[in-house]
Amino acid sequence: MFYWLIELTNTFPSLAMFRGLLNVFRYITFRTGGAVVTGALFVFLFGPWIIDHLRLRQGKGQPIRADGPQSHIISKKGTPTMGGLMILSGLVVSTVLWANPLNPYVWIVLAVTLGFGFVGFYDDYLKVTKQSHSGFAGRARILIEAGIALVACYALVRLGRDPSSTGLAIPFFKDLVIKFGWMYVIFGAFVIVGAGNAVNLTDGLDGLAIVPVMIASASFGLIAYLAGNAVFSDYLQIHYVAGTGELAVLCGAVLGAGLGFLWFNAPPASIFMGDTGSLALGGMLGSIAVAVKHEIVLAVIGGLFVLEAVSVIVQVASFKLTGKRIFKMAPIHHHFEQLGWTEPQIVIRFWIISVMLALVGLSTLKLR
C-alpha cells in the first residue's frame, strides 16, 4: 500500500513536492525495515486479544501427547494453540502495507503460506474439538500440501522463463547446475512440502521453532535481496532472478511478526504456534528457497529442521525394521529431554545451532 504513494506523486502534479520525501518507499531495504516494525507492533497490540479469544473458544486448549514427556502433561495443559493466526495476521498486514502489490513472487509465496496455514488450522481445529492428538488424516494432508506446492512451483517456473528456472544450483560452484526440466516442478514441490512438515515437527517446545524460523527468514531475506539485484548477483556469482528482491519485504514481515509472537511464546508459553503457524512458515521458507534457486542452502540454513525430521524418519524406520528405537523419543528435542536436559537448555542450544547453520549457509554466497 505504501508503495503506491510513489505512484500518486506521478499521477497528481500537485503532490510532486513530496516526491523526494516519498522516494524512500522505492527502496526494498526501507520497506523491509518497515515490514519488521509493522509485523512486530501488530502482534504486540493484538496478541493479547487473540490469546484471550482462543483460550475462551478452546477451553481445555491443545491436547498434550500421552506418549510424550510426562512433564508436558502437567506444565503445558490448558495452553491454547493456533498461535500461528497471530503470526499470519501480522505477516499479511505487514506484507500488504509494505510490499510491491504488482510483484507476482510476493503473491505466490503468500498463497503457499496461507494455503499451508489453512491446512494446519484445520488440523489444529480437529485436535481441539475432539481433544485428541490425532488431527487431519496424514495422507490427505500431504496430498493437499503437495497440490498447493505443485501449483506454486509451476507458477514460479513460468515466471522464470529461463533455463536455470528448471535447474538445481549447487552451492560453492559458479556454474554447476543440475538440469531437471519440467521434473523440477515435482522436485520444488517436494522441497516446499518437506520444509513445511520439518518445521512442524520442530514445534514441540516453547520458543523452539519460532526463533530458527526467524533466523532462516532473515537469512533468506538477504539472499532474496541479493538474488533479485543484477549487480550483486553478478558480483557474487549467484543466479539472478528478477523480481525476487521483493521477497525480502515478506521475510521482514515474518521476522517482525515472529518477534511479537515470541513475546507470548517464550517459556512458559501463553500460546502455542500449532500446525497453523509451523506448516505455514515452513511452506513459506520452502517456496522462497525455490523462487531464489537456493534449495540446497535451505537444507543448510534450516539444518535444525532437517535434523528434527530425519530423527523421526530414522526412529520410525528403525522400529519397523528391527523393533528397536535409536532415540529415547522422537523428534530429537524430546530425546534430549529424556536425557535430562531442561527445556530452556534445549531451546537455547538449538537456537545457537540455528545461528551457526545460518552463517554456514550464507557463506555459500561468496565461497565459489
Side-chain angles (χ1 to χ4, degrees), residues 7 83 92 103 113 129 185 207 284-285 328 350:
E7 300 301 323
V92 171
N103 187 288
T113 305
T129 54
V185 173
M284 180 215 71
L285 289 172
K328 290 181 178 296
F350 276 34

Side-chain angles (χ1 to χ4, degrees), residues 47-85:
W49 179 85
I50 295 175
I51 293 173
D52 291 341
H53 186 72
L54 289 174
R55 183 180 287 114
L56 181 64
R57 290 278 185 173
Q58 295 177 13
K60 296 181 180 179
Q62 176 175 301
I64 308 301
R65 285 177 53 184
D67 60 341
Q70 294 303 301
S71 60
H72 289 197
I73 298 176
I74 300 174
S75 63
K76 300 182 184 298
K77 185 177 180 180
T79 305
T81 186
M82 297 184 187
L85 292 173

Side-chain angles (χ1 to χ4, degrees), residues 3 5 22 44 47 54 56 73 78 97 110 112 114-115 124 183 189 197 206 238 249 251 256 264 287 314 355 357 367:
Y3 187 86
L5 292 175
L22 297 177
F44 274 134
L54 289 174
L56 181 64
I73 298 176
L97 284 175
L110 203 56
V112 172
L114 295 178
D124 286 335
M183 287 298 293
N197 286 279
D206 298 348
I238 62 177
V249 179
C251 289
F264 304 102
S287 55
V314 169
V355 171
L357 289 171
L367 300 177

Side-chain angles (χ1 to χ4, degrees), residues 28 103 105 223-229 240-248 291-292:
I28 292 175
N103 187 288
Y105 287 103
I223 292 172
Y225 177 74
L226 297 173
N229 186 295
Y240 168 60
V241 188
T244 55
E246 201 67 28
L247 293 175
V292 300

Side-chain angles (χ1 to χ4, degrees), residues 54-197:
L54 289 174
R55 183 180 287 114
L56 181 64
R57 290 278 185 173
Q58 295 177 13
K60 296 181 180 179
Q62 176 175 301
I64 308 301
R65 285 177 53 184
D67 60 341
Q70 294 303 301
S71 60
H72 289 197
I73 298 176
I74 300 174
S75 63
K76 300 182 184 298
K77 185 177 180 180
T79 305
T81 186
M82 297 184 187
L85 292 173
M86 298 166 61
I87 303 171
L88 292 178
S89 56
L91 162 64
V92 171
V93 169
S94 188
T95 301
V96 169
L97 284 175
W98 293 99
N100 179 359
L102 299 179
N103 187 288
Y105 287 103
V106 171
W107 294 111
I108 291 172
V109 173
L110 203 56
V112 172
T113 305
L114 295 178
F116 274 47
F118 178 78
V119 174
F121 174 82
Y122 183 61
D123 192 51
D124 286 335
Y125 174 78
L126 291 178
K127 291 175 182 177
V128 170
T129 54
K130 294 180 179 179
Q131 277 300 297
S132 170
H133 187 69
S134 300
F136 200 2
R139 290 184 180 179
R141 190 176 83 168
I142 292 295
L143 285 174
I144 295 173
E145 293 171 11
I148 296 170
L150 284 168
V151 173
C153 288
Y154 176 77
L156 290 172
V157 169
R158 294 285 295 178
L159 271 177
R161 297 181 181 179
D162 183 90
S164 64
S165 64
T166 55
L168 175 66
I170 308 299
F172 301 112
F173 296 92
K174 295 180 181 179
D175 302 311
L176 183 55
V177 177
I178 300 176
K179 302 293 184 180
F180 279 96
W182 280 101
M183 287 298 293
Y184 177 81
V185 173
I186 297 176
F187 171 77
F190 174 80
V191 171
I192 295 173
V193 173
N197 286 279

